[in-house]
Amino acid sequence: MNNEKTSLKKIISNHFFDFFMLFLAVSLGFLVDNYRDEQNSKSIATEMALDVIDDIKSDTAAIQDMLLHCEHKQHRLDTLFNLINDDITHFDDTVIYRLSAFVNKRPWFERHGSTIYLLLNAGYLSSFSKDASVCITTYDLECQKLFALLEIEKSTLNNKVVPFLQQVFHTENFVSIIHSNTFVCKPELRNWNQDTRWLYHNYITEMQILNNNILQYYQQLLAQATLTIQILQKEYMLEQG
């Protein structure tokens, strides 16, 4: 009887040991797989963080150019506004032509956003830390807001300002001054009277407001770009520079 009890205990003990070893093996395998997945995820995030930084650095150079253009444009808009103010009785056609040509131009902001687009649309953003994800998402949203405002300005130019300029300015002259800064004939204003002057006055006011808003959006985007780069470099211990 005692031998049977001893044998039963031994069998139970052996089964328990086997179960424990199996459980330990499965648990270790699970932990190893998790660790491997975590390391792979970190490796992917680090590589993509480098790509995001490169894209945003390229954006930053373009943003700084756009800021400079906005500042120059604001100065010219202010000058043009004063020239066509109702208190002014003499008009320098040549100056108005040149200023109007510059106002009609806006270099488009070419964003380098292929990596961020992939992160947001292919689910890779989950590989990033919370702080990095928030910064990347915020930067993308700031870009979208800016593009929306640029579209409003584009619409204002195409639907209001350009048709007005075609009515008042000599078309060939205006096209020539935009592309080569030269006049093909004497720069005289057509259909220029109190009504058209006030209409242009209102359009220039609208363009001043839009350009100032765009300037502020570029400043915000530049600040967000700088912050996003700093966060990514810190989170993934990337070389700064």
Side-chain angles (χ1 to χ4, degrees), residues 41-56:
S41 180
K42 285 183 178 179
S43 177
I44 292 172
T46 301
E47 291 178 8
M48 299 199 80
L50 284 168
D51 291 338
V52 170
I53 289 173
D54 287 341
D55 283 353
I56 295 180

Side-chain angles (χ1 to χ4, degrees), residues 9 15 17 22-23 29 40 72 125 133 152 161 169 228 238:
K9 287 181 180 180
H15 281 303
F17 179 77
L22 179 62
F23 175 79
N40 288 338
H72 289 167
L125 195 61
S133 298
I152 293 174
V161 179
F169 291 82
T228 302
L238 302 172

Side-chain angles (χ1 to χ4, degrees), residues 35 42 58 62 67 79 88 121 129 131 146 152 165-166 187 201 210 213 215 232:
Y35 178 77
K42 285 183 178 179
S58 298
L67 278 170
T79 303
I88 303 294
N121 293 277
S129 67
D131 287 345
L146 173 62
I152 293 174
L165 295 176
Q166 291 172 340
H201 185 276
L210 277 170
N213 289 338
L215 177 63
L232 288 173

Side-chain angles (χ1 to χ4, degrees), residues 117-125:
Y117 180 84
L118 180 65
L119 290 176
L120 296 175
N121 293 277
Y124 291 117
L125 195 61

Side-chain angles (χ1 to χ4, degrees), residues 1 33 41 43 57-58 74 99 120 122 203 215 219 232:
M1 190 70 176
D33 286 340
S41 180
S43 177
K57 281 184 176 179
S58 298
Q74 197 68 29
L99 289 173
L120 296 175
Y203 287 161
L215 177 63
Q219 291 171 339
L232 288 173

Side-chain angles (χ1 to χ4, degrees), residues 10-199:
K10 186 176 181 180
I11 292 172
I12 293 174
S13 177
N14 288 338
H15 281 303
F16 178 78
F17 179 77
D18 291 341
F19 172 78
F20 174 76
M21 292 302 294
L22 179 62
F23 175 79
L24 184 62
V26 171
S27 298
L28 287 174
F30 179 75
L31 291 174
V32 169
D33 286 340
N34 276 353
Y35 178 77
R36 187 185 299 115
D37 290 342
E38 184 179 346
Q39 291 302 113
N40 288 338
S41 180
K42 285 183 178 179
S43 177
I44 292 172
T46 301
E47 291 178 8
M48 299 199 80
L50 284 168
D51 291 338
V52 170
I53 289 173
D54 287 341
D55 283 353
I56 295 180
K57 281 184 176 179
S58 298
D59 286 353
T60 300
I63 292 169
Q64 290 171 336
D65 288 340
M66 294 300 102
L67 278 170
L68 187 61
H69 177 84
C70 284
E71 290 169 356
H72 289 167
K73 188 167 186 173
Q74 197 68 29
H75 174 71
R76 285 163 174 77
L77 281 166
D78 293 343
T79 303
L80 188 55
F81 178 88
N82 292 329
L83 268 179
I84 59 178
N85 196 22
D86 61 322
D87 292 331
I88 303 294
T89 56
H90 173 72
F91 303 100
D92 187 328
D93 298 346
T94 304
V95 174
I96 292 177
Y97 257 101
R98 294 188 185 280
L99 289 173
S100 298
F102 187 87
V103 166
N104 193 44
K105 292 192 289 187
R106 165 73 70 186
W108 193 255
F109 170 47
E110 296 291 343
R111 178 187 175 190
H112 301 75
S114 58
T115 304
I116 293 179
Y117 180 84
L118 180 65
L119 290 176
L120 296 175
N121 293 277
Y124 291 117
L125 195 61
S126 59
S127 301
F128 285 79
S129 67
K130 181 179 179 181
D131 287 345
S133 298
V134 169
C135 276
I136 292 171
T137 303
T138 302
Y139 178 76
D140 183 69
L141 290 174
E142 292 293 332
C143 285
Q144 298 305 323
K145 291 177 183 178
L146 173 62
F147 282 123
L149 192 57
L150 289 174
E151 286 293 342
I152 293 174
E153 184 196 47
K154 184 178 179 180
S155 176
T156 301
L157 281 171
N158 292 339
N159 298 325
K160 295 181 180 180
V161 179
V162 172
F164 172 84
L165 295 176
Q166 291 172 340
Q167 175 189 355
V168 175
F169 291 82
H170 187 286
T171 304
E172 292 182 9
N173 239 355
F174 193 68
V175 172
S176 179
I177 194 69
I178 287 178
H179 294 291
S180 60
N181 201 33
T182 59
F183 296 102
V184 296
C185 59
K186 186 179 179 180
E188 294 178 339
L189 299 177
R190 304 177 303 171
N191 304 317
W192 189 258
N193 52 49
Q194 190 70 10
D195 291 336
T196 53
R197 183 175 66 178
W198 267 108
L199 183 58

Side-chain angles (χ1 to χ4, degrees), residues 191-227:
N191 304 317
W192 189 258
N193 52 49
Q194 190 70 10
D195 291 336
T196 53
R197 183 175 66 178
W198 267 108
L199 183 58
Y200 199 25
H201 185 276
N202 292 336
Y203 287 161
I204 294 303
T205 301
E206 188 172 353
M207 293 300 296
Q208 284 176 307
I209 295 171
L210 277 170
N211 188 72
N212 186 60
N213 289 338
I214 290 170
L215 177 63
Q216 292 179 20
Y217 268 70
Y218 272 124
Q219 291 171 339
Q220 294 172 11
L221 187 60
L222 182 61
Q224 184 61 42
T226 303
L227 177 62

